[in-house]
Amino acid sequence: MIQMELNINGKKSTVDVEDNMPLLWVLRDELKLTGTKYGCGIAQCGSCSVIINGVVMRSCSVPVGSLEGMEITTIESLDADGALSAVQEAWIEHQVPQCGYCQSGMIMAATQLLKDNNTPTDDDIDNAMTNICRCGTYNRVRAAIHTAAKNISSNILVLNSK
């Protein structure tokens, strides 16, 4: 067991865990941040996606010992003072989830995509959204990302004009 300090959602958290423990289990079991979901355990489905230093990563395959000093962002951080993010609002508007299990990972991947590229094409979205949705809501995901991009761009224009 090692004691380490992690920067999760802008807050410092100290944990005592094995350094090879997957980040997913540290988040869920040690820190009770259960928005990140377990899906496959082999980094294929993307349900457990989080953002680490600006890169979407599957937390089931990232050993926590490799993360000291890095910024880890989970689904719990996306709302600002109780207001949903543009991506979360678009997800609701387009009724993206069916079973909903993959959605926190999808939302994290879409959030980072829009931070990296605020006007993505369909090809950009297809390349960035590698998460698996067993319900097959990929067309809704694409539509929601386009809506979120428009809403983000509109908000930036409003803020810049003030």
Side-chain angles (χ1 to χ4, degrees), residues 40-46 48 58-61:
C40 66
I42 57 172
Q44 296 298 305
C45 73
C48 67
R58 271 64 192 255
S59 64
C60 70
S61 66

Side-chain angles (χ1 to χ4, degrees), residues 71-149:
E71 292 183 26
I72 302 162
T73 306
T74 71
I75 189 82
E76 286 88 356
S77 73
L78 294 188
D79 66 342
D81 298 322
L84 297 177
S85 72
V87 173
Q88 290 170 312
E89 287 178 356
W91 242 243
I92 293 168
E93 179 181 335
H94 289 276
Q95 299 179 1
V96 173
Q98 284 185 20
C99 80
Y101 205 75
C102 66
Q103 296 309 303
S104 62
M106 287 271 201
I107 289 170
M108 295 306 293
T111 297
Q112 189 61 48
L113 166 63
L114 292 174
K115 283 183 180 177
D116 294 340
N117 177 358
N118 63 359
T119 56
T121 65
D122 285 346
D123 284 341
D124 295 333
I125 293 169
D126 293 346
N127 289 327
M129 300 302 295
T130 60
N131 301 45
I132 296 172
C133 173
R134 291 186 68 190
C135 301
T137 64
Y138 300 108
N139 290 332
R140 292 183 202 172
V141 166
R142 186 183 295 140
I145 291 171
H146 283 302
T147 296

